[in-house]
Amino acid sequence: MDFKEVMNELEALGKERTKKIYLSNGAHEPLFGVATGAMKPFVKKIKIDQSLAEELYATGNYDAMYFAGIIADPKAMTKEDFNRWIDDAYFYMLSDYVVAVTLAESPIAQEVADEWIASGDELRMSAGWSCYCWLLGNRKDDEFDKSKLSDRLDQVKENIYDAPLRTKVSMNNFLYTVAISYIPLSEKAAEVAEEIGAIEIKRERKKNGVLHAYENIQKDLDKGRLGFKRKYMRC
């Protein structure tokens, strides 16, 4: 399938109800409103195509950008490529669920994620923390530096209250993921989460929410999910 065929297919799959959901979460025009599951049949036809992925991502169309992440070749992408993608990721569903996921399958994932966490930019920081969540939930524990991740837990404890909204959410997810998916620091992550407690999330035009990593950690530990690893990161 070429660029035009993919765009026509995405447009045909768009649903007004799904579009409204995406818009309410921060997406803006152009977009079609395609459910991610509806993309799978023609993902199988294309598989990996970095050139096509770049064309789609450059459209600024949310659905095309999401699809680009699925068919991209992370191992072929450079740091400059990922920085260009995060520059165009204008809301969290792109930064955390497209760019961060794609980065997580790259050999330079931790290097780039570390730079984004240190950037001071809300969505870059969010993507950096999210990338670690995707990594920890998929890769073997021995692929990580325990001391480095321990320092990251301390960083969350010190900074989560004052972090920007989306960064705060991703930091909270990081606590949960370390506790469930990274056995060497599971106890420390749970202790940090308990110390942090509940964090209120204030959102424009929506009801305020509450983050409580410790409660979610305990629920999943009780279900025997310690050491959980997902088989795939992307669709």
Side-chain angles (χ1 to χ4, degrees), residues 7 9-16 18-19 22 31-39 42 61-64 66-67:
M7 291 299 291
E9 186 72 21
L10 289 172
E11 185 173 11
L13 291 170
K15 304 291 184 183
E16 193 62 31
T18 305
K19 181 175 180 178
Y22 293 160
L31 77 164
F32 303 128
V34 183
T36 56
M39 297 180 182
F42 64 111
N61 178 299
Y62 169 69
D63 302 290
Y66 188 96
F67 191 76

mmCIF file with all atom_site columns, all heavy atoms in Angstrom, residues 7 9-16 18-19 22 31-39 42 61-64 66-67:
data_model
loop_
_atom_site.group_PDB
_atom_site.id
_atom_site.type_symbol
_atom_site.label_atom_id
_atom_site.label_alt_id
_atom_site.label_comp_id
_atom_site.label_asym_id
_atom_site.label_entity_id
_atom_site.label_seq_id
_atom_site.pdbx_PDB_ins_code
_atom_site.Cartn_x
_atom_site.Cartn_y
_atom_site.Cartn_z
_atom_site.occupancy
_atom_site.B_iso_or_equiv
_atom_site.pdbx_formal_charge
_atom_site.auth_seq_id
_atom_site.auth_comp_id
_atom_site.auth_asym_id
_atom_site.auth_atom_id
_atom_site.pdbx_PDB_model_num
ATOM 1   N N   . MET A 1 7  ? -3.971  6.578  3.375  1.00 0.00 ? 7  MET A N   1
ATOM 2   C CA  . MET A 1 7  ? -4.780  7.707  3.827  1.00 0.00 ? 7  MET A CA  1
ATOM 3   C C   . MET A 1 7  ? -6.256  7.484  3.476  1.00 0.00 ? 7  MET A C   1
ATOM 4   O O   . MET A 1 7  ? -7.148  7.789  4.278  1.00 0.00 ? 7  MET A O   1
ATOM 5   C CB  . MET A 1 7  ? -4.278  9.003  3.201  1.00 0.00 ? 7  MET A CB  1
ATOM 6   C CG  . MET A 1 7  ? -2.917  9.459  3.719  1.00 0.00 ? 7  MET A CG  1
ATOM 7   S SD  . MET A 1 7  ? -2.889  9.788  5.513  1.00 0.00 ? 7  MET A SD  1
ATOM 8   C CE  . MET A 1 7  ? -3.901  11.269 5.611  1.00 0.00 ? 7  MET A CE  1
ATOM 9   N N   . GLU A 1 9  ? -7.715  4.598  3.156  1.00 0.00 ? 9  GLU A N   1
ATOM 10  C CA  . GLU A 1 9  ? -8.194  3.529  4.032  1.00 0.00 ? 9  GLU A CA  1
ATOM 11  C C   . GLU A 1 9  ? -8.488  4.070  5.421  1.00 0.00 ? 9  GLU A C   1
ATOM 12  O O   . GLU A 1 9  ? -9.509  3.737  6.036  1.00 0.00 ? 9  GLU A O   1
ATOM 13  C CB  . GLU A 1 9  ? -7.157  2.406  4.105  1.00 0.00 ? 9  GLU A CB  1
ATOM 14  C CG  . GLU A 1 9  ? -7.597  1.178  4.868  1.00 0.00 ? 9  GLU A CG  1
ATOM 15  C CD  . GLU A 1 9  ? -8.645  0.358  4.139  1.00 0.00 ? 9  GLU A CD  1
ATOM 16  O OE1 . GLU A 1 9  ? -8.745  0.500  2.900  1.00 0.00 ? 9  GLU A OE1 1
ATOM 17  O OE2 . GLU A 1 9  ? -9.379  -0.402 4.798  1.00 0.00 ? 9  GLU A OE2 1
ATOM 18  N N   . LEU A 1 10 ? -7.604  4.897  5.936  1.00 0.00 ? 10 LEU A N   1
ATOM 19  C CA  . LEU A 1 10 ? -7.814  5.486  7.260  1.00 0.00 ? 10 LEU A CA  1
ATOM 20  C C   . LEU A 1 10 ? -9.071  6.350  7.275  1.00 0.00 ? 10 LEU A C   1
ATOM 21  O O   . LEU A 1 10 ? -9.860  6.296  8.225  1.00 0.00 ? 10 LEU A O   1
ATOM 22  C CB  . LEU A 1 10 ? -6.592  6.319  7.674  1.00 0.00 ? 10 LEU A CB  1
ATOM 23  C CG  . LEU A 1 10 ? -5.323  5.548  8.017  1.00 0.00 ? 10 LEU A CG  1
ATOM 24  C CD1 . LEU A 1 10 ? -4.156  6.511  8.221  1.00 0.00 ? 10 LEU A CD1 1
ATOM 25  C CD2 . LEU A 1 10 ? -5.526  4.697  9.274  1.00 0.00 ? 10 LEU A CD2 1
ATOM 26  N N   . GLU A 1 11 ? -9.237  7.140  6.243  1.00 0.00 ? 11 GLU A N   1
ATOM 27  C CA  . GLU A 1 11 ? -10.427 8.000  6.175  1.00 0.00 ? 11 GLU A CA  1
ATOM 28  C C   . GLU A 1 11 ? -11.700 7.156  6.158  1.00 0.00 ? 11 GLU A C   1
ATOM 29  O O   . GLU A 1 11 ? -12.693 7.487  6.833  1.00 0.00 ? 11 GLU A O   1
ATOM 30  C CB  . GLU A 1 11 ? -10.369 8.886  4.935  1.00 0.00 ? 11 GLU A CB  1
ATOM 31  C CG  . GLU A 1 11 ? -11.511 9.887  4.859  1.00 0.00 ? 11 GLU A CG  1
ATOM 32  C CD  . GLU A 1 11 ? -11.361 10.876 3.719  1.00 0.00 ? 11 GLU A CD  1
ATOM 33  O OE1 . GLU A 1 11 ? -10.476 10.681 2.854  1.00 0.00 ? 11 GLU A OE1 1
ATOM 34  O OE2 . GLU A 1 11 ? -12.126 11.867 3.704  1.00 0.00 ? 11 GLU A OE2 1
ATOM 35  N N   . ALA A 1 12 ? -11.674 6.060  5.428  1.00 0.00 ? 12 ALA A N   1
ATOM 36  C CA  . ALA A 1 12 ? -12.853 5.189  5.347  1.00 0.00 ? 12 ALA A CA  1
ATOM 37  C C   . ALA A 1 12 ? -13.154 4.523  6.693  1.00 0.00 ? 12 ALA A C   1
ATOM 38  O O   . ALA A 1 12 ? -14.317 4.224  6.992  1.00 0.00 ? 12 ALA A O   1
ATOM 39  C CB  . ALA A 1 12 ? -12.631 4.119  4.280  1.00 0.00 ? 12 ALA A CB  1
ATOM 40  N N   . LEU A 1 13 ? -12.145 4.294  7.492  1.00 0.00 ? 13 LEU A N   1
ATOM 41  C CA  . LEU A 1 13 ? -12.320 3.636  8.783  1.00 0.00 ? 13 LEU A CA  1
ATOM 42  C C   . LEU A 1 13 ? -12.707 4.599  9.904  1.00 0.00 ? 13 LEU A C   1
ATOM 43  O O   . LEU A 1 13 ? -13.044 4.164  11.009 1.00 0.00 ? 13 LEU A O   1
ATOM 44  C CB  . LEU A 1 13 ? -11.029 2.912  9.186  1.00 0.00 ? 13 LEU A CB  1
ATOM 45  C CG  . LEU A 1 13 ? -10.646 1.683  8.361  1.00 0.00 ? 13 LEU A CG  1
ATOM 46  C CD1 . LEU A 1 13 ? -9.235  1.237  8.713  1.00 0.00 ? 13 LEU A CD1 1
ATOM 47  C CD2 . LEU A 1 13 ? -11.635 0.550  8.593  1.00 0.00 ? 13 LEU A CD2 1
ATOM 48  N N   . GLY A 1 14 ? -12.654 5.881  9.626  1.00 0.00 ? 14 GLY A N   1
ATOM 49  C CA  . GLY A 1 14 ? -12.929 6.879  10.654 1.00 0.00 ? 14 GLY A CA  1
ATOM 50  C C   . GLY A 1 14 ? -14.375 6.843  11.141 1.00 0.00 ? 14 GLY A C   1
ATOM 51  O O   . GLY A 1 14 ? -15.296 6.613  10.366 1.00 0.00 ? 14 GLY A O   1
ATOM 52  N N   . LYS A 1 15 ? -14.541 7.057  12.438 1.00 0.00 ? 15 LYS A N   1
ATOM 53  C CA  . LYS A 1 15 ? -15.859 7.103  13.070 1.00 0.00 ? 15 LYS A CA  1
ATOM 54  C C   . LYS A 1 15 ? -15.994 8.414  13.842 1.00 0.00 ? 15 LYS A C   1
ATOM 55  O O   . LYS A 1 15 ? -15.087 8.802  14.569 1.00 0.00 ? 15 LYS A O   1
ATOM 56  C CB  . LYS A 1 15 ? -16.061 5.929  14.026 1.00 0.00 ? 15 LYS A CB  1
ATOM 57  C CG  . LYS A 1 15 ? -15.871 4.547  13.400 1.00 0.00 ? 15 LYS A CG  1
ATOM 58  C CD  . LYS A 1 15 ? -16.967 4.219  12.402 1.00 0.00 ? 15 LYS A CD  1
ATOM 59  C CE  . LYS A 1 15 ? -16.810 2.795  11.865 1.00 0.00 ? 15 LYS A CE  1
ATOM 60  N NZ  . LYS A 1 15 ? -17.822 2.477  10.827 1.00 0.00 ? 15 LYS A NZ  1
ATOM 61  N N   . GLU A 1 16 ? -17.148 9.050  13.703 1.00 0.00 ? 16 GLU A N   1
ATOM 62  C CA  . GLU A 1 16 ? -17.354 10.344 14.357 1.00 0.00 ? 16 GLU A CA  1
ATOM 63  C C   . GLU A 1 16 ? -17.247 10.223 15.879 1.00 0.00 ? 16 GLU A C   1
ATOM 64  O O   . GLU A 1 16 ? -16.693 11.103 16.542 1.00 0.00 ? 16 GLU A O   1
ATOM 65  C CB  . GLU A 1 16 ? -18.721 10.915 13.964 1.00 0.00 ? 16 GLU A CB  1
ATOM 66  C CG  . GLU A 1 16 ? -18.897 12.382 14.330 1.00 0.00 ? 16 GLU A CG  1
ATOM 67  C CD  . GLU A 1 16 ? -17.906 13.294 13.633 1.00 0.00 ? 16 GLU A CD  1
ATOM 68  O OE1 . GLU A 1 16 ? -17.488 12.981 12.500 1.00 0.00 ? 16 GLU A OE1 1
ATOM 69  O OE2 . GLU A 1 16 ? -17.539 14.327 14.245 1.00 0.00 ? 16 GLU A OE2 1
ATOM 70  N N   . THR A 1 18 ? -15.463 8.075  17.643 1.00 0.00 ? 18 THR A N   1
ATOM 71  C CA  . THR A 1 18 ? -14.053 7.922  18.016 1.00 0.00 ? 18 THR A CA  1
ATOM 72  C C   . THR A 1 18 ? -13.323 9.243  17.855 1.00 0.00 ? 18 THR A C   1
ATOM 73  O O   . THR A 1 18 ? -12.484 9.611  18.689 1.00 0.00 ? 18 THR A O   1
ATOM 74  C CB  . THR A 1 18 ? -13.385 6.845  17.139 1.00 0.00 ? 18 THR A CB  1
ATOM 75  O OG1 . THR A 1 18 ? -14.128 5.633  17.234 1.00 0.00 ? 18 THR A OG1 1
ATOM 76  C CG2 . THR A 1 18 ? -11.953 6.595  17.575 1.00 0.00 ? 18 THR A CG2 1
ATOM 77  N N   . LYS A 1 19 ? -13.662 9.969  16.811 1.00 0.00 ? 19 LYS A N   1
ATOM 78  C CA  . LYS A 1 19 ? -13.039 11.272 16.580 1.00 0.00 ? 19 LYS A CA  1
ATOM 79  C C   . LYS A 1 19 ? -13.313 12.215 17.752 1.00 0.00 ? 19 LYS A C   1
ATOM 80  O O   . LYS A 1 19 ? -12.415 12.923 18.225 1.00 0.00 ? 19 LYS A O   1
ATOM 81  C CB  . LYS A 1 19 ? -13.573 11.872 15.280 1.00 0.00 ? 19 LYS A CB  1
ATOM 82  C CG  . LYS A 1 19 ? -12.983 13.220 14.919 1.00 0.00 ? 19 LYS A CG  1
ATOM 83  C CD  . LYS A 1 19 ? -13.490 13.674 13.547 1.00 0.00 ? 19 LYS A CD  1
ATOM 84  C CE  . LYS A 1 19 ? -12.918 15.030 13.172 1.00 0.00 ? 19 LYS A CE  1
ATOM 85  N NZ  . LYS A 1 19 ? -13.361 15.454 11.820 1.00 0.00 ? 19 LYS A NZ  1
ATOM 86  N N   . TYR A 1 22 ? -11.074 11.348 20.700 1.00 0.00 ? 22 TYR A N   1
ATOM 87  C CA  . TYR A 1 22 ? -9.705  11.830 20.510 1.00 0.00 ? 22 TYR A CA  1
ATOM 88  C C   . TYR A 1 22 ? -9.629  13.346 20.705 1.00 0.00 ? 22 TYR A C   1
ATOM 89  O O   . TYR A 1 22 ? -8.697  13.847 21.339 1.00 0.00 ? 22 TYR A O   1
ATOM 90  C CB  . TYR A 1 22 ? -9.197  11.460 19.112 1.00 0.00 ? 22 TYR A CB  1
ATOM 91  C CG  . TYR A 1 22 ? -9.003  9.974  18.870 1.00 0.00 ? 22 TYR A CG  1
ATOM 92  C CD1 . TYR A 1 22 ? -8.945  9.468  17.571 1.00 0.00 ? 22 TYR A CD1 1
ATOM 93  C CD2 . TYR A 1 22 ? -8.877  9.071  19.918 1.00 0.00 ? 22 TYR A CD2 1
ATOM 94  C CE1 . TYR A 1 22 ? -8.764  8.107  17.333 1.00 0.00 ? 22 TYR A CE1 1
ATOM 95  C CE2 . TYR A 1 22 ? -8.696  7.708  19.698 1.00 0.00 ? 22 TYR A CE2 1
ATOM 96  C CZ  . TYR A 1 22 ? -8.649  7.232  18.402 1.00 0.00 ? 22 TYR A CZ  1
ATOM 97  O OH  . TYR A 1 22 ? -8.468  5.890  18.163 1.00 0.00 ? 22 TYR A OH  1
ATOM 98  N N   . LEU A 1 31 ? -7.892  14.836 11.593 1.00 0.00 ? 31 LEU A N   1
ATOM 99  C CA  . LEU A 1 31 ? -7.952  13.452 12.049 1.00 0.00 ? 31 LEU A CA  1
ATOM 100 C C   . LEU A 1 31 ? -9.243  12.832 11.538 1.00 0.00 ? 31 LEU A C   1
ATOM 101 O O   . LEU A 1 31 ? -10.182 13.549 11.210 1.00 0.00 ? 31 LEU A O   1
ATOM 102 C CB  . LEU A 1 31 ? -7.861  13.336 13.567 1.00 0.00 ? 31 LEU A CB  1
ATOM 103 C CG  . LEU A 1 31 ? -9.089  13.672 14.412 1.00 0.00 ? 31 LEU A CG  1
ATOM 104 C CD1 . LEU A 1 31 ? -8.914  13.131 15.831 1.00 0.00 ? 31 LEU A CD1 1
ATOM 105 C CD2 . LEU A 1 31 ? -9.313  15.177 14.480 1.00 0.00 ? 31 LEU A CD2 1
ATOM 106 N N   . PHE A 1 32 ? -9.282  11.494 11.501 1.00 0.00 ? 32 PHE A N   1
ATOM 107 C CA  . PHE A 1 32 ? -10.449 10.773 11.009 1.00 0.00 ? 32 PHE A CA  1
ATOM 108 C C   . PHE A 1 32 ? -11.229 10.092 12.125 1.00 0.00 ? 32 PHE A C   1
ATOM 109 O O   . PHE A 1 32 ? -12.434 9.891  12.004 1.00 0.00 ? 32 PHE A O   1
ATOM 110 C CB  . PHE A 1 32 ? -10.029 9.709  9.988  1.00 0.00 ? 32 PHE A CB  1
ATOM 111 C CG  . PHE A 1 32 ? -9.272  10.241 8.809  1.00 0.00 ? 32 PHE A CG  1
ATOM 112 C CD1 . PHE A 1 32 ? -8.053  9.695  8.436  1.00 0.00 ? 32 PHE A CD1 1
ATOM 113 C CD2 . PHE A 1 32 ? -9.775  11.299 8.058  1.00 0.00 ? 32 PHE A CD2 1
ATOM 114 C CE1 . PHE A 1 32 ? -7.345  10.170 7.345  1.00 0.00 ? 32 PHE A CE1 1
ATOM 115 C CE2 . PHE A 1 32 ? -9.078  11.785 6.957  1.00 0.00 ? 32 PHE A CE2 1
ATOM 116 C CZ  . PHE A 1 32 ? -7.862  11.219 6.605  1.00 0.00 ? 32 PHE A CZ  1
ATOM 117 N N   . GLY A 1 33 ? -10.549 9.706  13.190 1.00 0.00 ? 33 GLY A N   1
ATOM 118 C CA  . GLY A 1 33 ? -11.212 8.983  14.269 1.00 0.00 ? 33 GLY A CA  1
ATOM 119 C C   . GLY A 1 33 ? -11.216 7.483  14.036 1.00 0.00 ? 33 GLY A C   1
ATOM 120 O O   . GLY A 1 33 ? -12.268 6.838  14.065 1.00 0.00 ? 33 GLY A O   1
ATOM 121 N N   . VAL A 1 34 ? -10.026 6.914  13.829 1.00 0.00 ? 34 VAL A N   1
ATOM 122 C CA  . VAL A 1 34 ? -9.910  5.482  13.562 1.00 0.00 ? 34 VAL A CA  1
ATOM 123 C C   . VAL A 1 34 ? -9.554  4.733  14.852 1.00 0.00 ? 34 VAL A C   1
ATOM 124 O O   . VAL A 1 34 ? -8.584  5.071  15.522 1.00 0.00 ? 34 VAL A O   1
ATOM 125 C CB  . VAL A 1 34 ? -8.820  5.201  12.503 1.00 0.00 ? 34 VAL A CB  1
ATOM 126 C CG1 . VAL A 1 34 ? -8.769  3.709  12.173 1.00 0.00 ? 34 VAL A CG1 1
ATOM 127 C CG2 . VAL A 1 34 ? -9.068  6.024  11.252 1.00 0.00 ? 34 VAL A CG2 1
ATOM 128 N N   . ALA A 1 35 ? -10.332 3.733  15.183 1.00 0.00 ? 35 ALA A N   1
ATOM 129 C CA  . ALA A 1 35 ? -10.003 2.891  16.334 1.00 0.00 ? 35 ALA A CA  1
ATOM 130 C C   . ALA A 1 35 ? -8.724  2.124  16.023 1.00 0.00 ? 35 ALA A C   1
ATOM 131 O O   . ALA A 1 35 ? -8.538  1.648  14.894 1.00 0.00 ? 35 ALA A O   1
ATOM 132 C CB  . ALA A 1 35 ? -11.137 1.923  16.618 1.00 0.00 ? 35 ALA A CB  1
ATOM 133 N N   . THR A 1 36 ? -7.839  2.012  16.999 1.00 0.00 ? 36 THR A N   1
ATOM 134 C CA  . THR A 1 36 ? -6.546  1.377  16.748 1.00 0.00 ? 36 THR A CA  1
ATOM 135 C C   . THR A 1 36 ? -6.697  -0.073 16.275 1.00 0.00 ? 36 THR A C   1
ATOM 136 O O   . THR A 1 36 ? -5.936  -0.534 15.427 1.00 0.00 ? 36 THR A O   1
ATOM 137 C CB  . THR A 1 36 ? -5.663  1.419  18.001 1.00 0.00 ? 36 THR A CB  1
ATOM 138 O OG1 . THR A 1 36 ? -6.353  0.808  19.094 1.00 0.00 ? 36 THR A OG1 1
ATOM 139 C CG2 . THR A 1 36 ? -5.334  2.855  18.362 1.00 0.00 ? 36 THR A CG2 1
ATOM 140 N N   . GLY A 1 37 ? -7.674  -0.778 16.804 1.00 0.00 ? 37 GLY A N   1
ATOM 141 C CA  . GLY A 1 37 ? -7.877  -2.166 16.389 1.00 0.00 ? 37 GLY A CA  1
ATOM 142 C C   . GLY A 1 37 ? -8.249  -2.292 14.934 1.00 0.00 ? 37 GLY A C   1
ATOM 143 O O   . GLY A 1 37 ? -7.953  -3.319 14.293 1.00 0.00 ? 37 GLY A O   1
ATOM 144 N N   . ALA A 1 38 ? -8.885  -1.260 14.390 1.00 0.00 ? 38 ALA A N   1
ATOM 145 C CA  . ALA A 1 38 ? -9.304  -1.307 12.987 1.00 0.00 ? 38 ALA A CA  1
ATOM 146 C C   . ALA A 1 38 ? -8.118  -1.204 12.032 1.00 0.00 ? 38 ALA A C   1
ATOM 147 O O   . ALA A 1 38 ? -8.240  -1.522 10.846 1.00 0.00 ? 38 ALA A O   1
ATOM 148 C CB  . ALA A 1 38 ? -10.291 -0.180 12.705 1.00 0.00 ? 38 ALA A CB  1
ATOM 149 N N   . MET A 1 39 ? -6.967  -0.776 12.553 1.00 0.00 ? 39 MET A N   1
ATOM 150 C CA  . MET A 1 39 ? -5.786  -0.627 11.707 1.00 0.00 ? 39 MET A CA  1
ATOM 151 C C   . MET A 1 39 ? -5.058  -1.949 11.471 1.00 0.00 ? 39 MET A C   1
ATOM 152 O O   . MET A 1 39 ? -4.282  -2.074 10.531 1.00 0.00 ? 39 MET A O   1
ATOM 153 C CB  . MET A 1 39 ? -4.804  0.366  12.341 1.00 0.00 ? 39 MET A CB  1
ATOM 154 C CG  . MET A 1 39 ? -5.327  1.775  12.497 1.00 0.00 ? 39 MET A CG  1
ATOM 155 S SD  . MET A 1 39 ? -4.059  2.824  13.266 1.00 0.00 ? 39 MET A SD  1
ATOM 156 C CE  . MET A 1 39 ? -4.937  4.393  13.380 1.00 0.00 ? 39 MET A CE  1
ATOM 157 N N   . PHE A 1 42 ? -4.581  -3.975 7.839  1.00 0.00 ? 42 PHE A N   1
ATOM 158 C CA  . PHE A 1 42 ? -3.667  -3.517 6.799  1.00 0.00 ? 42 PHE A CA  1
ATOM 159 C C   . PHE A 1 42 ? -2.283  -3.195 7.329  1.00 0.00 ? 42 PHE A C   1
ATOM 160 O O   . PHE A 1 42 ? -1.355  -2.970 6.560  1.00 0.00 ? 42 PHE A O   1
ATOM 161 C CB  . PHE A 1 42 ? -4.269  -2.388 5.950  1.00 0.00 ? 42 PHE A CB  1
ATOM 162 C CG  . PHE A 1 42 ? -4.573  -1.088 6.614  1.00 0.00 ? 42 PHE A CG  1
ATOM 163 C CD1 . PHE A 1 42 ? -3.842  0.040  6.305  1.00 0.00 ? 42 PHE A CD1 1
ATOM 164 C CD2 . PHE A 1 42 ? -5.629  -0.971 7.505  1.00 0.00 ? 42 PHE A CD2 1
ATOM 165 C CE1 . PHE A 1 42 ? -4.144  1.264  6.885  1.00 0.00 ? 42 PHE A CE1 1
ATOM 166 C CE2 . PHE A 1 42 ? -5.937  0.254  8.077  1.00 0.00 ? 42 PHE A CE2 1
ATOM 167 C CZ  . PHE A 1 42 ? -5.181  1.371  7.768  1.00 0.00 ? 42 PHE A CZ  1
ATOM 168 N N   . ASN A 1 61 ? -1.859  14.544 10.718 1.00 0.00 ? 61 ASN A N   1
ATOM 169 C CA  . ASN A 1 61 ? -3.136  13.867 10.955 1.00 0.00 ? 61 ASN A CA  1
ATOM 170 C C   . ASN A 1 61 ? -2.923  12.832 12.056 1.00 0.00 ? 61 ASN A C   1
ATOM 171 O O   . ASN A 1 61 ? -2.076  11.943 11.917 1.00 0.00 ? 61 ASN A O   1
ATOM 172 C CB  . ASN A 1 61 ? -3.598  13.194 9.659  1.00 0.00 ? 61 ASN A CB  1
ATOM 173 C CG  . ASN A 1 61 ? -4.897  12.425 9.809  1.00 0.00 ? 61 ASN A CG  1
ATOM 174 O OD1 . ASN A 1 61 ? -4.978  11.488 10.587 1.00 0.00 ? 61 ASN A OD1 1
ATOM 175 N ND2 . ASN A 1 61 ? -5.901  12.799 9.038  1.00 0.00 ? 61 ASN A ND2 1
ATOM 176 N N   . TYR A 1 62 ? -3.687  12.932 13.152 1.00 0.00 ? 62 TYR A N   1
ATOM 177 C CA  . TYR A 1 62 ? -3.449  12.060 14.294 1.00 0.00 ? 62 TYR A CA  1
ATOM 178 C C   . TYR A 1 62 ? -3.479  10.582 13.928 1.00 0.00 ? 62 TYR A C   1
ATOM 179 O O   . TYR A 1 62 ? -2.598  9.811  14.321 1.00 0.00 ? 62 TYR A O   1
ATOM 180 C CB  . TYR A 1 62 ? -4.454  12.316 15.420 1.00 0.00 ? 62 TYR A CB  1
ATOM 181 C CG  . TYR A 1 62 ? -4.375  11.249 16.481 1.00 0.00 ? 62 TYR A CG  1
ATOM 182 C CD1 . TYR A 1 62 ? -3.254  11.154 17.296 1.00 0.00 ? 62 TYR A CD1 1
ATOM 183 C CD2 . TYR A 1 62 ? -5.386  10.297 16.621 1.00 0.00 ? 62 TYR A CD2 1
ATOM 184 C CE1 . TYR A 1 62 ? -3.148  10.146 18.242 1.00 0.00 ? 62 TYR A CE1 1
ATOM 185 C CE2 . TYR A 1 62 ? -5.284  9.289  17.569 1.00 0.00 ? 62 TYR A CE2 1
ATOM 186 C CZ  . TYR A 1 62 ? -4.165  9.213  18.372 1.00 0.00 ? 62 TYR A CZ  1
ATOM 187 O OH  . TYR A 1 62 ? -4.058  8.204  19.302 1.00 0.00 ? 62 TYR A OH  1
ATOM 188 N N   . ASP A 1 63 ? -4.469  10.155 13.160 1.00 0.00 ? 63 ASP A N   1
ATOM 189 C CA  . ASP A 1 63 ? -4.588  8.743  12.800 1.00 0.00 ? 63 ASP A CA  1
ATOM 190 C C   . ASP A 1 63 ? -3.408  8.279  11.951 1.00 0.00 ? 63 ASP A C   1
ATOM 191 O O   . ASP A 1 63 ? -2.877  7.182  12.145 1.00 0.00 ? 63 ASP A O   1
ATOM 192 C CB  . ASP A 1 63 ? -5.897  8.493  12.055 1.00 0.00 ? 63 ASP A CB  1
ATOM 193 C CG  . ASP A 1 63 ? -7.100  8.913  12.877 1.00 0.00 ? 63 ASP A CG  1
ATOM 194 O OD1 . ASP A 1 63 ? -7.399  8.240  13.873 1.00 0.00 ? 63 ASP A OD1 1
ATOM 195 O OD2 . ASP A 1 63 ? -7.728  9.923  12.519 1.00 0.00 ? 63 ASP A OD2 1
ATOM 196 N N   . ALA A 1 64 ? -2.978  9.128  11.031 1.00 0.00 ? 64 ALA A N   1
ATOM 197 C CA  . ALA A 1 64 ? -1.828  8.795  10.191 1.00 0.00 ? 64 ALA A CA  1
ATOM 198 C C   . ALA A 1 64 ? -0.549  8.737  11.024 1.00 0.00 ? 64 ALA A C   1
ATOM 199 O O   . ALA A 1 64 ? 0.310   7.875  10.807 1.00 0.00 ? 64 ALA A O   1
ATOM 200 C CB  . ALA A 1 64 ? -1.687  9.819  9.067  1.00 0.00 ? 64 ALA A CB  1
ATOM 201 N N   . TYR A 1 66 ? -0.367  7.994  14.216 1.00 0.00 ? 66 TYR A N   1
ATOM 202 C CA  . TYR A 1 66 ? -0.424  6.775  15.024 1.00 0.00 ? 66 TYR A CA  1
ATOM 203 C C   . TYR A 1 66 ? -0.026  5.570  14.178 1.00 0.00 ? 66 TYR A C   1
ATOM 204 O O   . TYR A 1 66 ? 0.771   4.730  14.609 1.00 0.00 ? 66 TYR A O   1
ATOM 205 C CB  . TYR A 1 66 ? -1.827  6.582  15.590 1.00 0.00 ? 66 TYR A CB  1
ATOM 206 C CG  . TYR A 1 66 ? -1.914  5.447  16.589 1.00 0.00 ? 66 TYR A CG  1
ATOM 207 C CD1 . TYR A 1 66 ? -1.826  5.695  17.958 1.00 0.00 ? 66 TYR A CD1 1
ATOM 208 C CD2 . TYR A 1 66 ? -2.051  4.125  16.169 1.00 0.00 ? 66 TYR A CD2 1
ATOM 209 C CE1 . TYR A 1 66 ? -1.880  4.659  18.877 1.00 0.00 ? 66 TYR A CE1 1
ATOM 210 C CE2 . TYR A 1 66 ? -2.104  3.080  17.076 1.00 0.00 ? 66 TYR A CE2 1
ATOM 211 C CZ  . TYR A 1 66 ? -2.022  3.356  18.430 1.00 0.00 ? 66 TYR A CZ  1
ATOM 212 O OH  . TYR A 1 66 ? -2.057  2.324  19.326 1.00 0.00 ? 66 TYR A OH  1
ATOM 213 N N   . PHE A 1 67 ? -0.578  5.500  12.979 1.00 0.00 ? 67 PHE A N   1
ATOM 214 C CA  . PHE A 1 67 ? -0.258  4.386  12.084 1.00 0.00 ? 67 PHE A CA  1
ATOM 215 C C   . PHE A 1 67 ? 1.224   4.386  11.727 1.00 0.00 ? 67 PHE A C   1
ATOM 216 O O   . PHE A 1 67 ? 1.849   3.323  11.610 1.00 0.00 ? 67 PHE A O   1
ATOM 217 C CB  . PHE A 1 67 ? -1.113  4.466  10.823 1.00 0.00 ? 67 PHE A CB  1
ATOM 218 C CG  . PHE A 1 67 ? -1.039  3.242  9.966  1.00 0.00 ? 67 PHE A CG  1
ATOM 219 C CD1 . PHE A 1 67 ? -1.718  2.086  10.318 1.00 0.00 ? 67 PHE A CD1 1
ATOM 220 C CD2 . PHE A 1 67 ? -0.277  3.230  8.811  1.00 0.00 ? 67 PHE A CD2 1
ATOM 221 C CE1 . PHE A 1 67 ? -1.636  0.938  9.523  1.00 0.00 ? 67 PHE A CE1 1
ATOM 222 C CE2 . PHE A 1 67 ? -0.194  2.097  8.015  1.00 0.00 ? 67 PHE A CE2 1
ATOM 223 C CZ  . PHE A 1 67 ? -0.873  0.947  8.383  1.00 0.00 ? 67 PHE A CZ  1
#
